[in-house]
Amino acid sequence: MNALIESTRFSLLDRSRTREGRPAAEALRDTVRLAQEAERLGYHRFWVSEHHGVPGVAGSAPTVLAAAVAAATRTIRVGTGGVMLPNHRPLVVAEQFGVLESLYPGRVDMGLGRSVGFTDGVRRALGRDKDDAEDFAAQLADLLGWFEGTSATGAHARPAEGLRVPPFVLAMGEGAGIAARAGLPMVIGDLRDREKMLRGIDRYRTDFRPSPWAPEPYVVISGTIAVAAIEADARRLLLPEAWSMAHARTHGTFPPLPPAGRVEAARMTAKERDLFETGLTGHLAGTADQVADELETVLKETGAQEVLVTTSTYDREALLDSYRRLAKLFRA
């Protein structure tokens, strides 16, 4: 019995990762198809992400993609993990989520992050710089004000004003403190750095101030989880993403995912190999029994109410199989 797992919500985040030799449009369609499967399997939410100018990610417009996901599903909650608030005017973000909530009432989540563009060129194109992330708390308050009708401008966000779209803060760096002071649910990762995650959760719960949006702390932990019939197959699912991360940190460009076989045969520099091996550690990967044991431990340590699974790999069928095996754990 995995009582703790069965009492926890499980959700998916898909980054619309592109794959070598395949068009970006296919990655977006794969995201929509995965959302439909996630709904059938009983996952609670399905979120999409925001990246700009990244060769390995097709999802550059999360609210647009969320609309496509919501249109293709019926019951699963749909949202963003997240919209990077420093990249946008809060009024426009409120309007976009107001439209989504109006079209798909009771199903929309507003996951919000504080990252800015990945490179200097992207930040220039967006008219932003790194320091804009420091204004996140004020931007967040501004955004929520548009829903509450309290903007000091005297203007009104239509059709957002008066709607209740649940906001979540992606806790990176100062994010846990910001989420606590704003009284909002928090999404924190990743599973590879358990001590840092636990420190962030403790800080969040200690500093939490109840708000109209959330009367008590709500913790979502996020990270990579891979489940397969044998442990080696689960570990193999991790290879493409680990290689892409190592490549990004040594070449400055995040590439499309390669097949696992090509990664296994790849020649890497000592630095690339070190980053690659580091990228493979700390994830929850193995058979269903192995992952269940690890999950029970993590859930006991964190007291999290929800797990947001963020696995990316080249083999989409193997990814679907992993999500099906995971679903059997929490639906048992």
Side-chain angles (χ1 to χ4, degrees):
M1 289 290 292
N2 301 305
L4 199 51
I5 293 174
E6 292 172 27
S7 64
T8 301
R9 289 169 167 169
F10 280 77
S11 301
L12 301 185
L13 166 67
D14 193 68
R15 294 189 176 90
S16 304
R17 294 286 274 113
T18 57
R19 296 184 285 168
E20 281 188 357
R22 297 175 181 269
E26 183 178 76
L28 296 171
R29 288 192 291 268
D30 283 343
T31 291
V32 175
R33 283 192 289 266
L34 179 58
Q36 294 171 322
E37 182 67 12
E39 182 173 78
R40 284 191 288 269
L41 291 172
Y43 284 91
H44 184 62
R45 309 179 203 275
F46 189 92
W47 283 5
V48 297
S49 63
E50 174 183 340
H51 295 82
H52 299 284
V54 180
V57 182
S60 56
T63 53
V64 176
L65 185 52
V69 168
T73 54
R74 294 185 303 105
T75 57
I76 195 168
R77 296 196 64 87
V78 176
T80 56
V83 165
M84 297 302 149
L85 200 49
N87 291 338
H88 310 281
R89 298 300 302 173
L91 168 62
V92 176
V93 175
E95 290 172 336
Q96 291 174 347
F97 279 99
V99 169
L100 282 172
E101 175 64 19
S102 298
L103 291 171
Y104 308 102
R107 291 180 57 203
V108 176
D109 299 320
M110 186 166 57
L112 305 162
R114 61 192 293 268
S115 295
V116 290
F118 184 63
T119 64
D120 288 339
V122 168
R123 286 191 289 271
R124 286 196 303 271
L126 291 170
R128 300 291 187 267
D129 58 44
K130 290 181 179 179
D131 292 339
D132 287 312
E134 303 306 314
D135 296 328
F136 179 70
Q139 295 160 353
L140 182 61
D142 189 4
L143 172 62
L144 298 181
W146 289 112
F147 287 92
E148 295 164 337
T150 58
S151 173
T153 65
H156 299 272
R158 309 292 189 198
E161 189 173 308
L163 298 180
R164 305 297 288 180
V165 182
F168 294 75
V169 173
L170 275 62
M172 295 175 285
E174 294 297 310
I178 293 171
R181 290 188 294 274
L184 301 179
M186 176 185 71
V187 182
I188 188 166
D190 63 26
L191 295 171
R192 292 181 298 172
D193 194 340
R194 205 70 54 80
E195 290 186 7
K196 182 179 179 181
M197 175 186 279
L198 290 172
R199 287 196 302 271
I201 291 172
D202 287 344
R203 178 184 179 187
Y204 169 69
R205 290 200 174 109
T206 299
D207 296 345
F208 186 86
R209 301 173 185 171
S211 76
W213 300 95
E216 58 189 23
Y218 188 90
V219 175
V220 183
I221 57 173
S222 68
T224 294
I225 301 176
V227 191
I230 60 175
E231 183 179 3
D233 287 346
R235 295 286 174 187
R236 202 164 188 261
L237 285 174
L238 308 179
L239 300 182
E241 183 76 2
W243 181 89
S244 292
M245 290 295 295
H247 185 278
R249 292 182 180 179
T250 51
H251 295 81
T253 301
F254 199 67
L257 293 171
R262 193 172 81 69
V263 176
E264 291 169 328
R267 298 178 63 180
M268 302 183 199
T269 65
K271 183 177 182 181
E272 286 172 334
R273 177 65 62 179
D274 181 62
L275 289 167
F276 172 70
E277 296 293 345
T278 299
L280 293 173
T281 61
H283 304 294
L284 274 58
T287 64
D289 286 342
Q290 290 171 323
V291 168
D293 286 343
E294 292 187 68
L295 264 175
E296 285 279 323
T297 298
V298 173
L299 291 172
K300 286 175 184 175
E301 290 175 347
T302 62
Q305 289 98 327
E306 188 169 340
V307 178
L308 180 66
V309 188
T310 63
T311 310
S312 296
T313 194
Y314 181 89
D315 188 336
R316 297 293 294 192
E317 283 305 313
L319 180 63
L320 281 172
D321 181 68
S322 175
Y323 284 146
R324 290 178 187 126
R325 291 174 186 272
L326 178 60
K328 288 180 180 179
L329 295 180
F330 66 77
R331 294 180 64 184

